[in-house]
Amino acid sequence: MKAKQTLFPESFFFALPKLPSILRYYDEYHDVYVTINNPSELDVWPVMYSGNQENLYFKYFQNEIKPLIKCWLSDQILSFSSGTARGRYWALSKVKHEDLTDVILSHPTSIKENWFLLATKGYSIFCITAIKSLILFLCRLELLDWSKSHLDYVSDLPLPAQDKYSSVRTGDVFFSVNEESMLVEYIDSTTQTVISKPQSISDDDLRDVAVLICSYQFGFRPMQIGMLRMRDVRVFDIQDENTSSVHLTFKKIKQRSQTKSIPLTRKVKRDWAPIFIEMHRRNKAESLDGGDFFFRLKSSQEVSKIIGNLTEKILTIRRSPTELRHTAAQRLVDAGASHEELAEFMGHSDIDTGLVYFQTSPNQAERVNQALGISSIYKNIVKIAHDRFISESELTQLKGDQQIAGVPHGIAITGIGGCNSGQPACPYNPITSCYGCRKFMPINDGDIHLNVLKDMRTVVNFFEATSKGEANSPTYLQLKRTISNIQSIIEELKEAHHE
């Protein structure tokens, strides 16, 4: 039986560049160089990306095209990040052999016909992008009928239409007000445990909530969080306030430039700093040095798994780091941040990258509507919080255990609102824990909440006047948080009455 004749001229294989005996590339996550020995002789390449190791199998390509694929993949690994190369490799492996060879062997003047034919076969944008990178590789090496003069022409070949921000435009990726409240409540509760009984929380639980804070408060990607090292965590003692401040320095990633990573320094919310202080103390006790990973995680996948598991535990539905990142960005824009401030927060090199968040922001839409003299169409978004208020008559119709009452610090307080689950089912202190709780239904009488605020301030003033070293006690911090939450309720009522 005759051997199947190859579609490629014999001169093509002689013209392919010879692979190096050692393929050496940089693993950004572990900050080390990784090598692949004798890549030309291997049918499986072990590749490190984002801290993960994955085997890339060339068995998915027919023998006549394997030498070309190996040369192309080597070029991708050396020219881009190993993660980008790995993604393009798997995308290319999903392209049928005959479709791939048809494009490769096309004459530059007739490639458009085969190119548009690819779009009709249902290939994803990732597959088409991988094919284009292979053709550009042939152009740079001037192989077959391709030459450097065709680089611009090939670069302009269209990719399938795709709106990568469609879920942002529809709002599907954003956390609801209720979900954010649940996350904050969980972080606050864990912080209180760390302050009062640090020995009762495990290393894993402490690490998990710290990872969640990095994703929720700062919107960082899993790889950035996992790459945080001991030297990137700094604890500053503030003597006059008898407290501490925690600063974290992350690396800017996913940049087109191959220059050294730009540091991104962030300050942990003061209320949540004890989480990182305790974790830093434990790491020091384990003799971790400055170059060790702060979270002791080996890959970005482990970070994503932690966030997915913890959000599922808190919310009963699994949410991703990407959704937390989008929510953090939208939250910042809704608060009035500029394009430059958002770009700095997100670690974007181009301020236009975050334009979609301004397009979907209710605040931005409100400003545009006011400029055009058009009535607001976003009142339903603001009304999310107002729906939680109840009237005095509605309060009296609730069951007795759903009507909130208590005597915090010797002050009798009643009639502030209701609870969806009922006080007996709540493990927290009445009144002080109700304000800010997602299950709390405040009464829509601002004067009642003003009186509670006055009473709570009296207690705080007493603490400040008599305490010695009590400024960081759980009780004192709880009172301060309660006052802040009461003020938020009062402000919401004021806004509602002005509408």
Side-chain angles (χ1 to χ4, degrees):
M1 181 183 294
K2 287 186 178 180
K4 183 179 179 180
Q5 188 174 1
T6 179
L7 297 171
F8 295 88
E10 189 174 348
S11 59
F12 168 72
F13 298 100
F14 286 109
L16 282 174
K18 186 177 179 181
L19 287 174
S21 58
I22 296 178
L23 182 59
R24 188 169 181 261
Y25 62 95
Y26 180 63
D27 175 22
E28 186 177 9
Y29 190 96
H30 289 103
D31 193 23
V32 295
Y33 279 93
V34 183
T35 60
I36 300 175
N37 294 316
N38 301 314
S40 60
E41 299 177 12
L42 297 178
D43 213 32
V44 180
W45 285 7
V47 173
M48 295 290 300
Y49 74 97
S50 301
N52 311 285
Q53 179 172 308
E54 185 171 323
N55 291 328
L56 305 186
Y57 297 89
F58 291 98
K59 64 182 180 182
Y60 299 109
F61 298 94
Q62 293 190 16
N63 288 333
E64 67 171 348
I65 204 173
K66 276 185 185 179
L68 170 61
I69 300 301
K70 286 187 176 182
C71 288
W72 164 78
L73 182 57
S74 173
D75 176 76
Q76 294 292 297
I77 290 175
L78 296 176
S79 301
F80 304 96
S81 71
S82 55
T84 298
R86 169 254 179 199
R88 289 183 178 176
Y89 169 84
W90 286 118
L92 199 67
S93 70
K94 293 177 172 59
V95 180
K96 292 181 179 179
H97 177 73
E98 55 270 24
D99 293 334
L100 190 56
T101 53
D102 282 348
V103 175
I104 293 173
L105 295 171
S106 295
H107 192 277
T109 58
S110 60
I111 189 177
K112 278 195 173 181
E113 182 179 347
N114 284 329
W115 192 258
F116 288 111
L117 191 60
L118 286 174
T120 67
K121 297 184 177 183
Y123 289 119
S124 69
I125 187 172
F126 304 106
C127 293
I128 304 297
T129 300
I131 295 172
K132 178 182 282 192
S133 71
L134 180 61
I135 303 301
L136 289 170
F137 175 68
L138 293 173
C139 290
R140 290 197 301 273
L141 295 183
E142 299 194 317
L143 297 174
L144 299 173
D145 291 321
W146 302 100
S147 69
K148 292 178 182 177
S149 63
H150 300 124
L151 283 170
D152 290 340
Y153 178 71
V154 173
S155 296
D156 290 337
L157 290 173
L159 296 173
Q162 182 193 46
D163 183 3
K164 63 180 181 179
Y165 291 115
S166 60
S167 57
V168 174
R169 298 182 201 284
T170 60
D172 293 340
V173 295
F174 299 134
F175 280 56
S176 67
V177 173
N178 200 35
E179 287 175 324
E180 285 202 65
S181 176
M182 293 168 73
L183 288 184
V184 171
E185 184 180 325
Y186 180 85
I187 298 172
D188 285 347
S189 176
T190 305
T191 304
Q192 290 300 311
T193 302
V194 170
I195 294 172
S196 59
K197 297 180 180 178
Q199 69 280 2
S200 67
I201 185 169
S202 69
D203 290 346
D204 286 349
D205 288 342
L206 188 67
R207 175 204 62 198
D208 292 356
V209 74
V211 166
L212 179 63
I213 290 171
C214 291
S215 185
Y216 173 73
Q217 184 182 350
F218 307 125
F220 281 122
R221 299 181 176 93
M223 185 170 169
Q224 291 172 294
I225 296 171
M227 289 168 62
L228 193 72
R229 296 177 186 270
M230 282 290 290
R231 60 172 172 261
D232 301 323
V233 180
R234 302 185 67 187
V235 178
F236 300 92
D237 291 328
I238 304 175
Q239 300 297 334
D240 57 335
E241 297 183 26
N242 194 26
T243 186
S244 297
S245 176
V246 176
H247 292 193
L248 310 176
T249 301
F250 298 87
K251 289 184 179 179
K252 182 181 283 192
I253 62 173
K254 294 188 72 173
Q255 302 302 304
R256 295 176 182 175
S257 171
Q258 299 296 314
T259 57
K260 186 178 177 67
S261 295
I262 301 172
L264 301 169
T265 301
R266 299 289 184 266
K267 181 181 178 181
V268 177
K269 183 180 176 183
R270 183 73 60 83
D271 292 347
W272 299 339
I275 295 281
F276 290 85
I277 294 171
E278 175 64 15
M279 190 168 178
H280 191 268
R281 184 193 67 77
R282 294 187 187 186
N283 284 346
K284 284 285 188 180
E286 293 292 329
S287 300
L288 266 67
D289 64 27
D292 290 325
F293 290 123
F294 183 71
F295 295 118
R296 309 190 197 190
L297 299 174
K298 298 179 180 178
S299 69
S300 60
Q301 285 184 344
E302 291 185 4
V303 177
S304 296
K305 184 177 180 181
I306 285 173
I307 292 173
N309 290 343
L310 191 53
T311 53
E312 187 172 22
K313 172 184 174 181
I314 300 169
L315 310 174
T316 69
I317 59 171
R318 197 175 189 86
R319 303 301 291 263
S320 71
T322 301
E323 291 170 313
L324 279 164
R325 179 172 169 81
H326 285 312
T327 301
Q330 194 65 57
R331 189 192 316 124
L332 192 67
V333 172
D334 289 347
S338 67
H339 293 72
E340 292 79 8
E341 288 169 333
L342 177 66
E344 196 280 332
F345 175 81
M346 298 291 284
H348 291 157
S349 296
D350 187 347
I351 63 173
D352 291 339
T353 306
L355 286 177
V356 64
Y357 300 107
F358 290 89
Q359 295 165 358
T360 59
S361 171
N363 283 359
Q364 177 71 2
E366 175 67 17
R367 287 193 290 270
V368 173
N369 287 338
Q370 288 177 352
L372 297 175
I374 303 173
S375 60
S376 172
I377 60 173
Y378 281 90
K379 287 184 179 179
N380 60 312
I381 294 178
V382 180
K383 195 172 180 290
I384 290 173
H386 295 173
D387 288 340
R388 296 164 54 219
F389 290 110
I390 60 175
S391 65
E392 186 176 352
S393 60
E394 289 173 320
L395 176 62
T396 58
Q397 293 172 11
L398 293 177
K399 295 179 182 179
D401 62 358
Q402 288 183 302
Q403 297 184 31
I404 294 171
V407 189
H409 306 284
I411 302 173
I413 296 177
T414 61
I416 64 170
C419 175
N420 278 322
S421 60
Q423 277 191 219
C426 181
Y428 302 106
N429 296 328
I431 311 299
T432 54
S433 295
C434 293
Y435 285 98
C437 176
R438 59 189 174 82
K439 297 180 180 180
F440 180 43
M441 298 178 290
I443 196 165
N444 59 5
D445 186 339
D447 290 337
I448 290 177
H449 302 296
L450 279 170
N451 288 332
V452 178
L453 180 62
K454 181 180 178 181
D455 290 336
M456 289 296 104
R457 281 176 171 166
T458 300
V459 176
V460 169
N461 290 334
F462 174 78
F463 261 82
E464 288 180 330
T466 62
S467 66
K468 294 181 179 179
E470 286 288 317
N472 284 323
S473 71
T475 303
Y476 184 73
L477 292 175
Q478 175 68 64
L479 283 168
K480 291 178 67 177
R481 186 178 297 106
T482 300
I483 285 179
S484 177
N485 290 330
I486 295 172
Q487 289 172 325
S488 296
I489 292 293
I490 293 170
E491 288 301 318
E492 288 182 22
L493 282 167
K494 286 181 179 178
E495 291 177 7
H497 290 155
H498 286 145
E499 288 184 352

